[in-house]
Amino acid sequence: MSDASELPKKEEEEVTPEPEEQSDDSSEEEAAGATEMDFLRNLFSSTLGLGSPDKVLDELTLEGVAQYIKSGKCKNILCMVGAGISTAAGIPDFRSPGTGLYANLQKYNLPYPEAIFQIDYFKKHPEPFFALARELYPGQFKPTVCHYFIKLLKDKGLLRRCYSQNIDTLERVAGLEGDDLIEAHGTFYTSHCVSFCCRAEYNLDWMKEKIFSDDIPKCDKCNSLVKPDIVFFGENLPVRFFTSMKMDFPRCDLLIVMGTSLQVQPFAGLVGRVSKSCPRLLINMEKAGQADPLLGLLGFGGGMDFDSDKAYRDVAHISTCDDGCLALADLLGWKAELEELVKQEHARIDSEGKKEKSSESKGAAAKASSASAAPETKKEE
């Protein structure tokens, strides 16, 4: 399940990196090496019957997860989130028949739907992407209950980090800061010139002005295209994704996965990087991330196990992300606090939006007045 706020990563094409970006490749090589070591370690431990995991949850239910959080033993929660946490905000998903983003791209005359997020196509034909960006641009949507639940985890000192596949910046709008967040597939928050010789950086307001004035964003310094820092097909994930996951996942004592099908690598593989005793909660419209039976026999993959006789730590709560977060908040005694937070924050966003529109209207009126006054002055002369 992915959406317009979530961009998957395909197999990278060969691109000659800048000298300062070579750590990108080395980080990915190290990650691949670590995965191979995980495979061998799991294979040997499974074959020899070593390393029996501890059972942390009293029961494999949402209630069991809530009791664990309330026990005080859980202090390093990681969230992994995808498309499903933003659909309630009104952002369309990619693949739903009829309503999904890919089903409604005919007007852009693309050779295939995914081309709109393909880096080589973008460099030759940037117009379709920027036309779509105008429809989906950050600032037009409000964070959901799920976004604010993650913020509540932060406020209570329980959130270690949130790993997001989304590019809509709603985690930031909800109050997460840069250190709280790994935007695995990039973000609209910053943009860069695509020229390797330049790479000038631009902020959200600069890009917004260009997009909504129907201009193709060009670099002020070299006149090359400027692209939001979202990961297109054919591009590498941010270096920080690889460096942070090595620190965060071994320390994680509860993994909460929400609104993602866990099909896009390397993001999906993160569920297997927590310790074997770490509980994992999935809140989603359907079960996801389950281990391949054959690989499961080898102890490889770290996939979810919700239903087998050997299940001991994975919990699936099948619902919308907002409903699941409200249910968990209720069990934790946080429901009223969460609902009040959503109410206050949405009111603040609405108020700021009205002020911005009022300011824009006044500016447009002043501009029109100035333009109409100019010819009259000419006549008097």
Side-chain angles (χ1 to χ4, degrees):
M1 188 166 100
S2 21
D3 76 6
S5 67
E6 172 185 315
L7 281 182
K9 172 182 179 291
K10 283 189 175 178
E11 188 177 23
E12 288 99 18
E13 298 171 357
E14 291 190 8
V15 178
T16 304
E18 295 178 89
E20 64 268 23
E21 292 184 350
Q22 287 186 2
S23 59
D24 212 8
D25 294 333
S26 61
S27 293
E28 291 188 72
E29 286 171 11
E30 289 173 19
T35 301
E36 291 173 9
M37 288 303 296
D38 286 343
F39 171 79
L40 293 173
R41 192 179 297 113
N42 288 334
L43 176 60
F44 287 132
S45 64
S46 175
T47 304
L48 299 174
L50 302 175
S52 298
D54 299 323
K55 186 175 180 180
V56 174
L57 300 179
D58 292 333
E59 53 182 283
L60 298 181
T61 61
L62 201 63
E63 288 79 3
V65 174
Q67 286 299 323
Y68 174 53
I69 295 173
K70 289 162 72 175
S71 73
K73 297 175 184 175
C74 176
K75 298 176 181 176
N76 287 286
I77 297 176
L78 289 179
C79 293
M80 289 174 59
V81 300
I85 75 165
S86 292
T87 51
I91 299 175
D93 66 21
F94 272 122
R95 296 177 178 85
S96 290
T99 60
L101 184 62
Y102 285 160
N104 291 282
L105 294 177
Q106 298 92 339
K107 58 187 172 184
Y108 300 123
N109 297 315
L110 300 168
Y112 48 92
E114 294 84 354
I116 202 164
F117 297 120
Q118 212 282 329
I119 188 61
D120 288 337
Y121 186 85
F122 170 80
K123 288 178 178 178
K124 295 174 185 174
H125 308 285
E127 296 83 6
F129 170 78
F130 286 115
L132 178 65
R134 228 177 352 264
E135 296 180 37
L136 303 174
Y137 204 75
Q140 303 178 79
F141 306 96
K142 287 182 282 194
T144 65
V145 168
C146 184
H147 288 100
Y148 288 114
F149 178 78
I150 299 170
K151 173 63 163 58
L152 209 52
L153 289 175
K154 175 193 171 178
D155 292 345
K156 294 181 180 296
L158 298 174
L159 181 71
R160 182 174 182 89
R161 207 130 25 222
C162 175
Y163 283 69
S164 177
Q165 291 174 287
N166 301 337
I167 60 170
D168 52 35
T169 73
L170 289 181
E171 296 91 357
R172 292 177 183 265
V173 178
L176 295 191
E177 298 173 1
D179 193 50
D180 305 318
L181 192 59
I182 301 294
E183 292 158 316
H185 294 159
T187 178
F188 268 99
Y189 197 70
T190 55
S191 301
H192 281 85
C193 172
V194 300
S195 170
F196 285 133
C197 300
C198 180
R199 300 296 292 160
E201 181 174 314
Y202 297 90
N203 63 26
L204 188 65
D205 290 336
W206 183 93
M207 179 58 75
K208 181 178 180 180
E209 183 183 342
K210 296 291 183 184
I211 287 177
F212 283 93
S213 63
D214 290 332
D215 290 338
I216 297 300
K218 296 287 185 73
C219 180
D220 295 336
K221 296 181 179 178
C222 72
N223 206 41
S224 296
L225 281 171
V226 176
K227 182 183 81 66
D229 291 341
I230 60 176
V231 178
F232 276 27
F233 296 133
E235 293 188 305
N236 295 329
L237 268 64
V239 173
R240 188 163 169 259
F241 170 84
F242 296 100
T243 55
S244 296
M245 72 179 187
K246 294 174 188 174
M247 297 184 295
D248 290 341
F249 281 80
R251 294 176 175 84
C252 176
D253 47 30
L254 173 63
L255 180 64
I256 303 179
V257 182
M258 297 185 280
T260 172
S261 60
L262 291 175
Q263 292 181 356
V264 179
Q265 297 292 350
F267 189 88
L270 294 178
V271 298
R273 299 190 75 89
V274 295
S275 71
K276 286 190 173 182
S277 60
C278 177
R280 302 181 295 191
L281 167 65
L282 174 72
I283 300 176
N284 204 37
M285 291 296 287
E286 58 189 8
K287 291 177 182 177
Q290 289 163 286
D292 179 276
L294 179 59
L295 292 178
L297 289 173
L298 297 174
F300 177 62
M304 304 281 213
D305 179 6
F306 303 113
D307 304 312
S308 84
D309 294 337
K310 295 180 180 179
Y312 69 96
R313 62 165 171 166
D314 295 329
V315 177
H317 184 80
I318 305 303
S319 74
T320 66
C321 295
D322 282 3
D323 287 346
C325 286
L326 279 170
L328 181 54
D330 192 23
L331 292 168
L332 291 166
W334 302 352
K335 187 177 181 181
E337 185 179 358
L338 176 58
E339 289 176 331
E340 183 61 24
L341 177 62
V342 174
K343 182 181 176 181
Q344 288 180 356
E345 286 298 299
H346 280 189
R348 178 186 62 78
I349 292 169
D350 287 339
S351 175
E352 289 177 357
K354 285 177 183 176
K355 287 179 184 176
E356 188 177 333
K357 283 182 181 176
S358 175
S359 176
E360 287 174 358
S361 296
K362 287 177 182 177
K367 214 173 191 180
S369 175
S370 174
S372 63
E376 291 174 15
T377 307
K378 249 184 176 179
K379 284 177 185 176
E380 287 173 10
E381 288 173 354

